Amino acid sequence: MVLHSKPAIEQLSKANNCAAFLGGIPLIDLSKPDSKAQLVRACEDLGLFKVINHGVPADLIRELESEAVRFFSLSLSVKEQAGPPDPFGYGDKKIGPNGDVGWVEYLLLTTNTHNFPSIFGEAADKFRWLVNEYISAVKKMACEILEMLAEGLRIQPRDAFSKLLMDEQSDSVFRVNHYPPCPDVQGRNLIGFGEHTDPQIISVLRSNNISGLQISLKDGRWISVPSDHNSFFINVGDSLQVMTNGRFKSVRHRVVANGSKSRLSMIYFGGPPLSEKIAPLASLMQGEEDSLYKEFTWFEYKKSAYKSKLADNRLGLFEKIAAS
């Protein structure tokens, strides 16, 4: 599937809802005292921001990326021994069970147990250790951000969001995507990973210094997100949008293929326990404000999302329809 670019970023200043992009994607220093307000504003305006002083060791990032590159450099027949992703494992081109495809190969792993097949050989123990250490570090960062958001919204308790990730039954996943060079791009936007929102609470993305990530603005136009391998990108997920009754925005995004360079990204998707009920927090409802969403469990939403195509409005089935 080939999609074409929308107007370039310099043209976006004409649109009122594009003001956030005039200075680029919000960059937030988590060590600064005003970071709570910046985090809340970024989640309200865009649903995407990047953070520095995040506490994830640079050496750990480099080592895990190196092991991932080594894995994806193996022959397809060897990599396929680690698949298919049902639900976890290696996948190539096919994304999910509903016909979505992209110029991508990937490893999808649970964050609770890591049973690496014999394909990893002697490297299995090292890879397992690196994945565990990395997940632990980014989970800690994600929880810190969620607690700062709760404070910024004046929500009590402070762990109203983060406790869902810290729960032993948290249904979080870790994904490593590899987008090989695609010589057929020739100036077109060949889709590496189709447009979608993330269904979980929060997503923590790290990629190498190759561009490809794009996000959709409120008016439907797509813009490219400049790569930044020194920062982590944070996405608001559908579940957090519901818990804030639409105050925070789950950002629609996609990845386009590169004609000559390989892109590697690693994403931690922080999800709640399967039995957790997802609904707007009562403490955020102002006056006679109505809930925009029906209450649902994470299991119900995950099951519904799994049956949908990437580009579907997954929350649509759970929105309360106002009487006309």
Side-chain angles (χ1 to χ4, degrees), residues 62-131:
R62 283 193 296 268
E63 285 195 64
L64 181 54
E65 284 189 344
S66 177
E67 286 299 308
V69 168
R70 186 195 68 79
F71 170 77
F72 287 118
S73 68
L74 299 172
S75 67
L76 180 59
S77 61
V78 174
K79 288 181 288 191
E80 286 179 334
Q81 296 175 32
D86 186 25
F88 301 107
Y90 172 79
D92 179 49
K93 303 296 191 298
K94 295 181 181 179
I95 304 171
N98 302 304
D100 287 300
V101 295
W103 190 258
V104 63
E105 58 178 342
Y106 57 91
L107 274 174
L108 188 61
L109 306 170
T110 173
T111 61
N112 295 322
T113 57
H114 309 296
N115 296 317
F116 297 112
S118 58
I119 177 179
F120 291 95
E122 296 179 357
D125 288 340
K126 180 180 180 181
F127 193 43
R128 183 185 296 107
W129 181 85
L130 288 170
V131 168

Side-chain angles (χ1 to χ4, degrees), residues 84-263:
D86 186 25
F88 301 107
Y90 172 79
D92 179 49
K93 303 296 191 298
K94 295 181 181 179
I95 304 171
N98 302 304
D100 287 300
V101 295
W103 190 258
V104 63
E105 58 178 342
Y106 57 91
L107 274 174
L108 188 61
L109 306 170
T110 173
T111 61
N112 295 322
T113 57
H114 309 296
N115 296 317
F116 297 112
S118 58
I119 177 179
F120 291 95
E122 296 179 357
D125 288 340
K126 180 180 180 181
F127 193 43
R128 183 185 296 107
W129 181 85
L130 288 170
V131 168
N132 285 333
E133 289 296 305
Y134 182 85
I135 289 175
S136 177
V138 295
K139 175 181 174 180
K140 180 180 179 181
M141 183 237 296
C143 288
E144 178 185 355
I145 290 171
L146 289 172
E147 291 177 0
M148 293 170 74
L149 285 169
E151 288 186 345
L153 292 172
R154 299 181 181 179
I155 294 173
Q156 293 293 335
R158 186 175 186 262
D159 67 350
F161 300 133
S162 65
K163 66 181 181 182
L164 304 179
L165 273 60
M166 296 301 296
D167 194 295
E168 290 184 0
Q169 301 301 315
S170 170
D171 185 43
S172 299
V173 295
F174 179 58
R175 187 182 189 108
V176 185
N177 288 332
H178 176 238
Y179 303 91
C182 184
D184 296 330
V185 171
Q186 297 177 344
R188 301 176 300 174
N189 275 350
L190 180 66
I191 295 301
F193 206 109
E195 64 175 277
H196 63 286
T197 58
D198 295 338
Q200 292 88 353
I201 295 172
I202 192 172
S203 305
V204 181
L205 165 69
R206 169 68 170 74
S207 70
N208 62 359
N209 210 22
I210 305 299
S211 62
L213 178 63
Q214 296 183 339
I215 62 174
S216 177
L217 300 181
K218 294 176 183 178
D219 61 5
R221 286 185 283 183
W222 289 93
I223 71 158
S224 295
V225 177
S227 60
D228 182 355
H229 69 286
N230 295 315
S231 306
F232 278 90
F233 288 88
I234 311 297
N235 289 4
V236 170
D238 295 344
S239 296
L240 188 56
Q241 176 172 313
V242 171
M243 294 176 74
T244 59
N245 204 33
R247 182 168 174 177
F248 289 175
K249 309 302 179 186
S250 180
V251 63
R252 183 164 288 268
H253 54 288
R254 69 185 186 188
V255 175
V256 295
N258 190 289
S260 60
K261 298 179 179 179
S262 175
R263 184 175 188 269

